[in-house]
Amino acid sequence: GPPQLLFLRSLPCWAGLLEEIRRGEVELQDLDEGARSDRGLVLVAVRASQGRALEYASWTLRNDKALVLEAVTRNGLSLRHAAASLRGDRDVVLAAVRDCPMALEHASELLRRDRDFVT
């Protein structure tokens, strides 16, 4: 499927690492900034960790809407690690709150005050 295309963009030397992450043998927080900035590798880590790896993704990737959606649909509370702009994004916050209603506390203040959104 489409996720396989992301793997092709990862550095070839990381092919074994991708498999170790997928199996839960290696976690994103144990890797260097280069690895934490690789979208394909981080996507595998987010899926393997049920969204928790978002905390260790590079700042750029924590601002990547599709990647953040992958994380918050698995673990709504990972919203707290998303970039501020995405904590104010209705689609992202709604996906997070569907998984865990308590995730609303990590949404932007503007969204939390929006009666149309909260009700």
Side-chain angles (χ1 to χ4, degrees), residues 59 62-63 68 79-89 92-93 106-109 111:
W59 182 247
R62 286 190 278 153
N63 201 26
V68 170
L79 180 64
R80 68 177 155 239
H81 303 298
S85 61
L86 293 179
R87 285 186 272 123
D89 182 286
V92 171
V93 173
H106 302 293
S108 69
E109 187 176 344
L111 263 188

Side-chain angles (χ1 to χ4, degrees), residues 74-110:
R74 288 167 167 75
N75 178 355
L77 292 177
S78 64
L79 180 64
R80 68 177 155 239
H81 303 298
S85 61
L86 293 179
R87 285 186 272 123
D89 182 286
R90 288 175 175 270
D91 298 333
V92 171
V93 173
L94 190 57
V97 170
R98 279 188 185 128
D99 176 71
C100 177
M102 288 173 35
L104 187 60
E105 72 182 71
H106 302 293
S108 69
E109 187 176 344
L110 196 63

Side-chain angles (χ1 to χ4, degrees), residues 31-85:
L31 302 176
D32 65 20
E33 190 60 31
R36 293 177 187 205
S37 299
D38 182 272
R39 192 177 191 283
L41 197 147
V42 171
L43 180 62
V44 170
V46 161
R47 288 175 174 164
S49 68
Q50 292 303 307
R52 292 184 301 278
L54 184 64
E55 177 178 2
Y56 304 103
S58 69
W59 182 247
T60 301
L61 291 179
R62 286 190 278 153
N63 201 26
D64 179 314
K65 184 173 179 175
L67 191 104
V68 170
L69 277 168
E70 284 278 343
V72 301
T73 56
R74 288 167 167 75
N75 178 355
L77 292 177
S78 64
L79 180 64
R80 68 177 155 239
H81 303 298
S85 61

